[in-house]
Every structure is written in structure tokens, then in C-alpha cells.
Amino acid sequence: QVQLVESGGGLVQPGGSLRLSCAASGSIFSTNAMGWYRQAPEKQRELVATITSGDRTNYADSVKGRFTISGDNAKNTVYLQMNSLKPDDTAVYYCYVLARTSARAWYNDYWGQGTQVTVSS
């Protein structure tokens, strides 16, 4: 099995910054991508940012220029630096990893429990 542990959420004022971390552990043979989604109350879960094992990144338009995703493949860890936060960024942020547990296994996606980010004055 694969487990993900997120950290770094909290309450921040508009314009502030937070850094989210997510570490994947367990029976990981290799990863293909890691990233973050978020879900605000009464809204659908949406992509925030992803990073592939080759360090290609992808961002939602709403966070481009403000958020930066990075990863450490050796540690199966992904980070999300969030700057210039806005109230609209308030949501539960979920980490995911696309990983396989052996050389012959398919890649599957695994999810963390989520961490709350609240942007409010």
C-alpha cells in the first residue's frame, strides 16, 4: 500500500504565504507524477498543480504566477509554495501521487487525507 502524509496548511491573511508538503511512503516502486488538488465548500475538486518525474509542471490558470510546485523524487515528496494568497484559495488541499508498487504493476493514483488552507483577515 501507499500512504501520503500532508502538512503545512493553516490560516493565513490575504497576501500571505504557505508551503504545503506531502510525503509518499509504502510499497512504492516508482512514481510518474505527484501533485495537488483542492476542494472548496460546495465546489468540485479541481486541479491546482502537478509535477512529473521528469519535472514537467502544470498549473491551474487561477494559481499561475503565485504558486510553485516542486518535488524530490528520491524522497517521494512534493511541495507547494503558495504566495499572494487570496480568499478564493480557501479549500481543502489534497496531495496525490501516480505510482506503481512493482515493475509489472499498473500505475494507480493514491490520495492524502487533505489539509485545510484558510485565507481570511
Side-chain angles (χ1 to χ4, degrees):
Q1 273 290 5
V2 177
Q3 300 83 37
L4 285 81
V5 177
E6 301 137 327
S7 60
L11 172 64
V12 63
Q13 293 186 341
S17 298
L18 282 175
R19 179 179 167 90
L20 304 182
S21 300
C22 173
S25 62
S27 303
I28 298 173
F29 177 79
S30 64
T31 64
N32 183 271
M34 296 187 75
W36 297 90
Y37 279 68
R38 67 185 181 187
Q39 188 166 17
E42 301 182 358
K43 291 188 177 180
Q44 290 188 334
R45 189 173 295 191
E46 63 176 2
L47 170 73
V48 177
T50 61
I51 184 167
T52 69
S53 57
D55 289 335
R56 286 178 297 175
T57 59
N58 183 45
Y59 295 92
D61 287 343
S62 60
V63 307
K64 282 181 181 177
R66 300 188 298 122
F67 291 10
T68 302
I69 189 169
S70 60
D72 185 334
N73 290 332
K75 297 181 179 180
N76 291 324
T77 300
V78 64
Y79 307 96
L80 186 68
Q81 178 66 43
M82 305 185 293
N83 298 329
S84 302
L85 282 160
K86 305 175 182 179
D88 284 349
D89 295 317
T90 296
V92 177
Y93 283 68
Y94 296 91
C95 172
Y96 86 96
V97 61
L98 192 62
R100 57 179 176 170
T101 55
S102 74
R104 302 177 69 176
W106 292 100
Y107 280 97
N108 287 309
D109 56 328
Y110 300 88
W111 294 85
Q113 298 281 3
T115 184
Q116 177 70 46
V117 172
T118 302
V119 184
S120 175
S121 55

